[in-house]
Amino acid sequence: MVPSSMALRSLINFSRFASTYSKLGAYSSFTSQASPVSEPATFSDRGEDKYANVNWDELGFGLVPTDYMYIMKCSLNENFSRGELNRYGNIELSPSSGVLNYGQGLFEGLKAYRREDGRLFLFRPEQNALRMKMGAERMCMPSPSVDQFVDAVKQTVIANKRWVPPPGKGSLYIRPLLIGSGPVLGLAPAPDYAFLIYASPVGNYFKEGLSPLNLVVDDEFHRATPGGTGGVKTITNYGPVLKAQTRAKAKGFSDVLFIDAVKKKNLEEVSSCNIFIVKGSVISTPATHGTVLSGITRKSIIEIARDYGYQVEERSVPVDELIDADEVFCTGTAVVVAQVGSITYQGKRFVYKTGAGTVSQRLYLNLTGIQMGLVEDKKGWIVEVDGAFS
């Protein structure tokens, strides 16, 4: 069943929650200015059985500090062990830390959703954990196990549950970070590492909201090169796009669509999301061969599209195929599925079908329906946050 747009945006009566935290000791993987949780506390005695004081109707994609963050540490050639929740706050790092000097850091992004019965759910968190492990290997870093990662995410959501928006009003965006926190002067892996998670309630990623995006192809700047780190979610992948993105937005575009750095003829990614083009019953997307990130939303949309009978091709997609495409859309944790209204390439503007009845809308409604509990999850993608620490 595909839910209607109205169902996806429906409101509910607020639910009240009662849950008790486990006792947590002070903990820090490096010097932290955040206050550790040192006393048992309940939602009721902190007023956390209610929603936070947020104007949910005006929620965008900006940082809204919540109550708690998660911290866990280890040294090089060791394994991560038990972490703790701290009050959300600033951290201190050595000026010679690996992350500050050599960009030795990874991040992930996933969301928690509130359903109409008040329960909270995550979408495929184990995939984020596996992607971080892959990225950590590339960056010579230890990483949390899949179970540690998922458990830490659950703890962070539970601790910040009053910040999870009402159904249809947004989601709680969760940002896990893995950084080289230890000091290092010569070029080498850092001696110590920290795994952190913080969260923020968010609405639509683009200022256009659900309106179609207007992209521009940039053939001067590139976000990734063969043999680099474009295929893993390292922090160093994102700084290089800022110049092109800033220039594009100054000209009125929503974002930049990058092409490959070698032949300069194949599509790769938008600044922070994957790209798909539709022609008839065929959906094409750039293959993830080292320079394109393997997005979890991308992977999910491919599965859903194939279930609907579409032919999905993961391959090199020449930029020339933009000329006669029927539809173009982007996918990502932050953007979910965003329709593209136009793409400008070398001064020529190509316009695409958007709105009701499009392939992208059909896929969007199915994916968000699964995430929000309006469509049956037959794939086991949804993980409930049960309200108890393990």
Side-chain angles (χ1 to χ4, degrees), residues 14-292:
F14 289 170
S15 300
R16 298 177 67 84
F17 306 92
S19 180
T20 304
Y21 286 131
S22 297
K23 189 172 182 178
L24 300 170
Y27 182 87
S28 179
S29 58
F30 40 74
T31 304
S32 173
Q33 298 174 13
S35 302
V37 180
S38 57
E39 296 295 334
T42 64
F43 286 115
S44 58
D45 66 24
R46 289 198 308 269
E48 289 182 322
D49 55 341
K50 301 177 181 178
Y51 282 96
N53 185 21
V54 175
N55 184 345
W56 303 112
D57 292 321
E58 298 298 325
L59 195 60
F61 202 93
L63 179 63
V64 179
T66 55
D67 297 320
Y68 295 97
M69 63 184 188
Y70 182 94
I71 302 175
M72 182 165 57
K73 70 173 183 178
C74 82
S75 296
L76 188 63
N77 300 319
E78 294 182 357
N79 295 320
F80 279 96
S81 57
R82 182 174 179 269
E84 302 285 359
L85 289 167
N86 278 19
R87 293 282 182 173
Y88 178 88
N90 294 337
I91 61 173
E92 286 186 5
L93 286 171
S94 166
S96 60
S97 63
V99 66
L100 294 182
N101 286 261
Y102 301 120
Q104 199 181 18
L106 298 163
F107 75 90
E108 278 296 328
L110 63 161
K111 292 176 177 177
Y113 301 87
R114 189 188 299 274
R115 293 190 177 174
E116 294 189 2
D117 60 5
R119 293 186 297 162
L120 306 179
F121 290 84
L122 302 168
F123 182 73
R124 308 189 77 176
E126 76 288 345
Q127 292 295 314
N128 296 89
L130 290 169
R131 187 168 64 181
M132 177 167 278
K133 286 181 69 69
M134 180 185 71
E137 181 179 355
R138 175 65 176 85
M139 298 296 287
C140 298
M141 306 168 76
S143 64
S145 68
V146 172
D147 288 343
Q148 286 175 323
F149 182 102
V150 174
D151 183 66
V153 168
K154 287 182 177 181
Q155 290 191 42
T156 306
V157 173
I158 293 164
N160 295 297
K161 66 188 303 181
R162 71 194 187 102
W163 298 92
V164 183
K169 295 294 185 178
S171 57
L172 184 71
Y173 184 84
I174 304 150
R175 172 58 59 84
L177 291 162
L178 180 62
I179 63 173
S181 56
V184 57
L185 184 59
L187 180 58
D192 301 298
Y193 295 85
F195 175 66
L196 305 93
I197 305 177
Y198 68 92
S200 175
V202 297
N204 290 314
Y205 181 78
F206 289 106
K207 65 180 179 61
E208 290 88 346
L210 296 177
S211 300
L213 306 179
N214 297 300
L215 304 179
V216 61
V217 175
D218 196 307
D219 53 10
E220 177 183 356
F221 294 104
H222 301 281
R223 64 165 295 276
T225 57
T229 59
V232 297
K233 206 167 177 64
T234 172
I235 61 175
T236 53
N237 286 346
Y238 294 85
V241 311
L242 296 177
K243 182 68 174 180
Q245 188 185 63
T246 300
R247 185 169 65 177
K249 290 186 176 182
K251 295 178 181 180
F253 296 104
S254 307
D255 212 328
V256 176
L257 173 56
F258 291 93
I259 56 177
D260 76 285
V262 178
K263 297 180 179 179
K264 296 189 176 184
K265 72 172 189 177
N266 295 319
L267 303 180
E268 292 216 324
E269 289 187 31
V270 180
S271 298
S272 60
C273 46
N274 296 114
I275 192 82
F276 288 78
I277 68 171
V278 181
K279 182 66 177 178
S281 61
V282 179
I283 302 174
S284 302
T285 189
T288 55
H289 291 324
T291 55
V292 176

